[in-house]
Amino acid sequence: MRRLVVLRRIAGDAFGHFNADDGWAMASHLAVSAIMALFPFLIFATALASFLGAEAFADTAVHIIFDIWPEEVAAPIAEEVVNVLSVRRSGVLTFGVLVAAFFASNGVEALRLSLNRAYRVSEHRSFIVLRVQSFGFVLIATTGFLAISVLLVIAPVAANIAVSRMEWLEPYMGTITLWRYVIALAVLVMALIVVHLWLPAGKRRLTEILPGLIFTLLGWLVGSSVFAAYLSRFSSYANTYAGLASMMVAVVFLYILSAIFILGGEINAAIMRYRNARRGIRGRARA
């Protein structure tokens, strides 16, 4: 009974703060920022990968990002992304590529703003420091994708060598498609951890952000499944938005994910507030 009361208190605090601080509007901002940052990030990352000789990067990046989206949402967007990334660019440091990196960093700033509000912290770092950090996150993400693209090329070769020497491993090796899903999920979890720990102002421990991360992952699973079912059975986006249907579907999908993401931060903040309040009560009782 007491646990139920605690859960209701934490949930009321989280949802109350979400509504009071324009969480729905912030979700819209985050969703649109994600769309605006996605293409520039992939353009910048692909140009850098080509410069470094990783020609298979584009295909790998598309799979990592879109394999965990519902097919009804991912298929048309992924096709457009592939078309954009297939355009040859002369060099990694062209003006257009640098502008793409800047717009990609705007997506990081949108994440920072939403989490600062969720964790109820004020940002005191300078604009330059924040922007450099955002560029750093873009470069880290690009480097991570490059490493994964190399692994996905090397992994099948290594697997074949291992199976040729140890045949009993064959039933456990799986397919490259399975590995893509596993890697995509691992990248998603690591990205959530990094974003919650280091992007917003202040400091948090891993144990303090785990409840919100679990809520976010479960919420994304349920939300994407429900939205995919809605699209396959009841949606009239094609009739309403014609040629813009695929983009509108992506924006609505990202809006749902953004609201759940912000709520995850709100839940972490509510739990921390509750624990701090309990510590204060115990401290006064001892005094």
Side-chain angles (χ1 to χ4, degrees):
M1 185 67 180
R2 184 174 176 274
R3 289 183 179 179
L4 183 60
V5 172
V6 172
L7 287 175
R8 288 180 59 184
R9 176 177 173 179
I10 291 173
D13 187 6
F15 280 98
H17 192 270
F18 178 83
N19 285 315
D21 269 8
D22 303 316
W24 302 111
M26 286 301 302
S28 297
H29 170 62
L30 188 54
V32 174
S33 297
I35 285 289
M36 293 182 66
L38 178 61
F39 283 87
F41 166 70
L42 289 173
I43 290 170
F44 170 75
T46 303
L48 181 59
S50 298
F51 179 76
L52 297 175
E55 300 296 337
F57 174 85
D59 181 64
T60 302
V62 169
H63 277 290
I64 292 171
I65 292 174
F66 293 107
D67 274 353
I68 51 178
W69 289 31
E71 185 177 355
E72 293 83 354
V73 180
I77 300 298
E79 183 178 349
E80 294 302 322
V81 169
V82 170
N83 291 337
V84 170
L85 298 185
S86 62
V87 176
R88 299 289 299 178
R89 291 171 177 83
S90 57
V92 69
L93 293 179
T94 61
F95 178 75
V97 171
L98 293 178
V99 170
F102 176 81
F103 277 107
S105 70
N106 284 342
V108 179
E109 290 300 316
L111 287 172
R112 187 199 310 280
L113 179 59
S114 62
L115 285 178
N116 277 341
R117 286 199 175 194
Y119 283 114
R120 306 158 206 193
V121 292
S122 299
E123 189 60 74
H124 300 293
R125 291 170 289 183
S126 70
F127 170 82
I128 296 176
V129 170
L130 296 180
R131 186 58 68 169
V132 169
Q133 187 191 48
S134 296
F135 275 113
F137 271 88
V138 171
L139 288 174
I140 291 171
T142 302
T143 304
F145 277 24
L146 282 170
I148 292 168
S149 66
V150 172
L151 287 174
L152 285 176
V153 172
I154 295 174
V157 177
N160 290 334
I161 294 173
V163 169
S164 66
R165 296 177 180 274
M166 297 172 284
E167 295 182 0
W168 58 270
L169 286 175
E170 187 171 2
Y172 305 99
M173 298 308 292
T175 64
I176 192 62
T177 302
L178 175 62
W179 283 109
R180 277 175 170 161
Y181 279 106
V182 171
I183 290 173
L185 181 61
V187 168
L188 177 62
V189 173
M190 287 301 300
L192 283 173
I193 292 173
V194 169
V195 163
H196 278 271
L197 282 180
W198 293 302
L199 196 57
K203 293 182 179 180
R204 286 149 298 278
R205 296 189 298 271
L206 180 60
T207 54
E208 293 176 328
I209 67 171
L210 281 180
L213 261 62
I214 294 172
F215 171 85
T216 299
L217 292 171
L218 293 178
W220 281 355
L221 176 62
V222 173
S224 59
S225 300
V226 171
F227 188 59
Y230 165 71
L231 288 177
S232 63
R233 297 180 185 179
F234 308 109
S235 175
S236 60
Y237 280 101
N239 296 331
T240 305
Y241 296 105
L244 294 175
S246 60
M247 189 58 65
M248 289 305 302
V249 166
V251 170
V252 173
F253 175 68
L254 288 173
Y255 176 76
I256 295 170
L257 299 191
S258 298
I260 294 170
F261 171 77
I262 296 172
L263 273 171
E266 294 284 4
I267 288 172
N268 286 338
I271 292 173
M272 286 188 280
R273 281 167 59 88
Y274 173 77
R275 288 174 176 171
N276 290 336
R278 292 292 298 172
R279 291 191 192 102
I281 292 173
R282 289 173 184 170
R284 288 194 296 270
R286 290 172 183 170

